[in-house]
Amino acid sequence: MPILSVHARWLQNGTSVAGGHGYGGASNQLAYIGGFVVDDDGTVVIADICNNRIMQWKVGDMNGKVVAGGNGGGSRMDQLTHPGHVLIEQETNSLIICDYGNKRIVRWSLRNGITQGEVLLSNTCCSGLAMDDQRYLYVSNCAKHEVRRYQIGDKYGTRVAGGNDNGTGLNQLNILLSVVVDRQQTVYVSDYGNYRVMKWNKNATEGIVVAGGQGNGTALTQLSGPTGLFVDTLGTVYVADMHNNRVMRWPQGATQGTVIAGGFGKGAGANQFNSPFCLSFDRHGNLYISDTFNYRVQRFSLE
Ligand SMILES: *[C@@H]1O[C@H](CO)[C@@H](O)[C@H](O)[C@H]1NC(C)=O
Ligand SMILES: *[C@@H]1O[C@H](CO)[C@@H](O)[C@H](O)[C@H]1NC(C)=O
Ligand SMILES: *[C@@H]1O[C@H](CO)[C@@H](O)[C@H](O)[C@H]1NC(C)=O
Ligand SMILES: *[C@@H]1O[C@H](CO)[C@@H](O)[C@H](O)[C@H]1NC(C)=O
């Protein structure tokens, strides 16, 4: 991830790097996209929820390749059920997958010949997943409205955000989705039900509103369905504002955001979204966004 200027701009029109051929189970299709990641080569790895598989698309590929699951929904170790999120663990050349329907988090090696995963955590309702540079895993737990941090192998973890039931207080979350973490182990969470993004410093007992928090609406001070999240090294927050069909940037301390992609109404045009969900950047600073009801991942080139 390069350091992006707070004034960086992206081309208005995106191009599809995965999917874009309607809902379906063919190798050029996706059936609801959960989380995805972009690696240093620009390869995109996608949680293809209703196909119960994780897909990999290399730059220029017309078709994706199944890299985990794809054996129908189920709870066998070679199956996934509605995988919602995926991460790449470089050190082990594996994927870490939130296997939502099985309430478990699994690790799936990318080495050739590996056809099943191993369970890292079970009985965990996971709506978001992140890893810090010390390889602690952060899981947003949908059932408990909290984010917990785990050392790999540890089953209990430590609460690092929320956990005080659902509500609107600064120490509460209400339907949490994405979680991201920075080098200081500061945790950022999209607090979907409260139309805001929260930042929890390490060891904090409550969060700080860093985007939205002004109710549901379309103004630049508001969010309507914050979902995907990214935070750069300057502390700038990038957030997919799902129901407004736009992606916003909120520099540290800002009281309103700027629209960096979309914002042209709901649609399937190159500059539009139909419910943007997850977002990421490649190392050149190009922006990638999953576009739920267009069944595609869009890339917006840095100007
Ligand atoms: C908390 O969640 C429950 C069940 O989903 C819901 O009925 C309630 O309205 C939520 N509370 C707030 C403050 O949104
Ligand atoms: C957080 O708490 C731990 C354990 O109590 C302590 O070692 C650490 O210094 C604290 N870090 C910060 C940033 O407050
Ligand atoms: C938020 O506002 C949008 C219209 O701007 C509306 O479609 C949506 O239902 C609202 N969300 C809630 C939870 O009321
Ligand atoms: C952007 O895409 C729209 C169609 O969605 C097209 O009409 C327009 O010409 C494109 N603009 C550029 C600069 O390519």
Side-chain angles (χ1 to χ4, degrees):
M1 173 72 197
I3 294 181
L4 286 167
S5 152
V6 292
H7 305 294
R9 290 165 56 92
W10 290 264
L11 295 182
Q12 260 183 16
N13 279 1
T15 52
S16 294
V17 296
H21 297 280
Y23 179 98
S27 58
N28 66 351
Q29 292 179 309
L30 296 160
Y32 293 123
I33 305 164
F36 71 88
V37 281
V38 185
D39 77 6
D40 284 350
D41 305 325
T43 300
V44 182
V45 176
I46 303 169
D48 185 6
I49 300 178
C50 290
N51 287 322
N52 303 304
R53 65 187 185 184
I54 306 294
M55 295 292 277
Q56 179 192 68
W57 248 276
K58 295 200 181 225
V59 175
D61 280 356
M62 299 303 289
N63 295 295
K65 174 184 152 195
V66 179
V67 287
N71 296 311
S75 60
R76 291 194 320 252
M77 288 316 303
D78 67 340
Q79 294 177 310
L80 299 167
T81 303
H82 298 158
H85 260 276
V86 60
L87 291 179
I88 297 174
E89 190 184 30
Q90 304 287 358
E91 294 79 359
T92 58
N93 190 27
S94 314
L95 302 176
I96 296 184
I97 303 163
C98 161
D99 185 6
Y100 182 85
N102 288 317
K103 288 197 163 49
R104 64 188 184 190
I105 293 166
V106 298
R107 181 197 266 149
W108 201 297
S109 172
L110 287 170
R111 277 181 294 130
N112 281 335
I114 303 291
T115 55
Q116 62 174 43
E118 56 168 318
V119 176
L120 293 180
L121 286 170
S122 46
N123 297 316
T124 305
C125 174
C126 163
S127 58
L129 208 53
M131 189 172 257
D132 68 18
D133 52 11
Q134 295 173 47
R135 287 171 69 195
Y136 281 92
L137 192 62
Y138 295 72
V139 178
S140 40
N141 187 312
C142 16
K144 293 182 180 151
H145 309 283
E146 68 180 14
V147 179
R148 293 186 88 81
R149 179 179 66 219
Y150 299 87
Q151 215 162 1
I152 299 286
D154 157 26
K155 299 277 180 270
Y156 301 102
T158 310
R159 186 170 78 198
V160 293
N164 298 298
D165 212 347
N166 64 323
T168 60
L170 289 176
N171 67 348
Q172 293 178 307
L173 296 165
N174 192 10
I175 315 180
L176 63 168
L177 290 174
S178 291
V179 55
V180 295
V181 57
D182 70 11
R183 288 203 175 136
Q184 285 73 45
Q185 297 185 319
T186 304
V187 175
Y188 295 78
V189 196
S190 50
D191 188 5
Y192 178 89
N194 289 327
Y195 316 106
R196 67 189 185 185
V197 178
M198 298 299 283
K199 169 181 173 176
W200 284 64
N201 288 315
K202 196 171 179 190
N203 300 347
T205 54
E206 62 177 34
I208 299 163
V209 179
V210 292
Q214 305 287 329
N216 182 24
T218 60
L220 291 176
T221 54
Q222 295 177 305
L223 296 168
S224 179
T227 49
L229 209 54
F230 193 91
V231 178
D232 71 15
T233 47
L234 298 174
T236 302
V237 172
Y238 301 83
V239 58
D241 185 12
M242 183 158 121
H243 302 306
N244 286 329
N245 292 297
R246 65 187 183 188
V247 179
M248 298 190 87
R249 165 174 59 207
W250 291 67
Q252 202 166 42
T255 53
Q256 64 172 50
T258 52
V259 177
I260 60 165
F264 298 104
K266 175 163 77 175
N271 62 359
Q272 292 178 308
F273 300 111
N274 189 346
S275 297
F277 188 73
C278 179
L279 75 98
S280 193
F281 290 89
D282 65 21
R283 68 194 165 103
H284 306 292
N286 302 310
L287 171 64
Y288 295 69
I289 303 158
S290 61
D291 187 6
T292 307
F293 298 105
N294 290 320
Y295 313 104
R296 63 185 184 185
V297 176
Q298 294 287 88
R299 185 184 64 212
F300 294 83
S301 299
L302 186 64
E303 268 188 12

